[in-house]
Every structure is written in structure tokens, then in C-alpha cells.
Amino acid sequence: MIRLLTYFHLWLAGLGLMVCLSPHLRAAPPVDFVRDVQPILAEHCSHCHGADPDSRQSGLRLDLQEAALRGGDSGEPAIVPGDPSMGTLLARILSDDEDDIMPPAEEHNPLSPPQIETLKQWIEQGAVYASHWAFVSPQKIPLDSIAEHVNATA
């Protein structure tokens, strides 16, 4: 009986450990450009680095992938997919220098730590830009792939 209780306690401890650690063992969910990144860029960056050429600063446009990868007047890319430390975007957001920090201090609109983490994860995951779903042509899914999906999840 004591041995059975000991095994039960070990099993219970293992179960508790799995429950406690499971959130830390999961990979970060993929960051979606339209859902997660675009709102951050729209709120904090688009005023000076968006589509309007009259208000664009430093020749940098962040709403288009090719423009962000090319960079602005500095010639350095704002984003280097897969490596957040190489582009200027996060470097400027995280800067302590009042002349370099983005958005500028006089805007009174700094990014929150979760927003910064979202941008960092997005860049680590390849900085994939995407169009809003309303502008993406529908794709017909072959029935075979649906059947395979159902069989795979059953």
C-alpha cells in the first residue's frame, strides 16, 4: 500500500510539473502581420514612415516590405528578416539617445514592452508582410487536402 501511494505521489508530482512547465515549453505562436504588426506600425510609425510621401521622414517607408528591407536615407535596412539585432527598426525603438529614439520623445507615444516583443518576434520569424484578407484573392482548396486534414486530426 505504501509503495502504491509513493507511485501515486510521484505520478502526481510529474503531472504538476508538466502543467507548470507546459506554457514555457510551447513555441511562441506565429506573429501575423495584419493582426499583430500592422496596428503597431499604424499607431506609432506610419505618420512619418507610411504611404504619404509629403510627410515621410528620412526616406523610410515601413508599410511596404521592399522599402523596409531597403531602408531609408541612411542606406541601412530597417528590417533584416530573421535577425532583429541587424536592422535599425528595433535599434531606434530601443535607443536611449533622445536624438535616435523612435518614435521621437516629443510624440509622447512610445511602444509598450509587449509591442516591442511582438515586433522582435515578427522579425525573428522572418518579418513576413501580408495583405489584408479583403485584398487577397480566394484560393480554392482541393477536396483531397481537406480529407487528408480530417484524417490527420482524427
Side-chain angles (χ1 to χ4, degrees), residues 114-147:
Q115 289 174 321
I116 294 169
E117 186 60 29
T118 296
L119 291 177
K120 182 179 177 198
Q121 287 178 2
W122 173 66
I123 294 169
E124 286 172 347
Q125 294 171 7
V128 176
Y129 278 71
S131 296
H132 188 276
W133 65 266
F135 301 112
V136 177
S137 299
Q139 301 292 322
K140 187 172 184 174
I141 301 173
L143 291 178
D144 291 338
S145 68
I146 293 172

Side-chain angles (χ1 to χ4, degrees), residues 87-102:
T88 59
L89 178 69
L90 279 179
R92 298 291 297 268
I93 289 170
L94 296 171
S95 178
D96 292 329
D97 185 341
E98 286 190 25
D99 293 332
D100 287 338
I101 193 164
M102 289 290 150

Side-chain angles (χ1 to χ4, degrees), residues 40-151:
I40 296 170
L41 296 179
E43 179 183 347
H44 298 278
C45 310
S46 291
H47 177 70
C48 297
H49 303 294
D52 183 4
D54 294 331
S55 65
R56 193 169 308 135
Q57 302 291 314
S58 302
L60 178 60
R61 187 168 179 180
L62 293 173
D63 61 324
L64 298 176
Q65 183 175 23
E66 57 275 1
L69 297 178
R70 183 176 52 250
D73 295 341
S74 72
E76 297 179 43
I79 298 169
V80 176
D83 192 350
S85 66
M86 293 299 294
T88 59
L89 178 69
L90 279 179
R92 298 291 297 268
I93 289 170
L94 296 171
S95 178
D96 292 329
D97 185 341
E98 286 190 25
D99 293 332
D100 287 338
I101 193 164
M102 289 290 150
E106 61 266 13
E107 294 287 326
H108 304 289
N109 194 18
L111 278 75
S112 68
Q115 289 174 321
I116 294 169
E117 186 60 29
T118 296
L119 291 177
K120 182 179 177 198
Q121 287 178 2
W122 173 66
I123 294 169
E124 286 172 347
Q125 294 171 7
V128 176
Y129 278 71
S131 296
H132 188 276
W133 65 266
F135 301 112
V136 177
S137 299
Q139 301 292 322
K140 187 172 184 174
I141 301 173
L143 291 178
D144 291 338
S145 68
I146 293 172
E148 290 171 10
H149 176 71
V150 170
N151 292 335

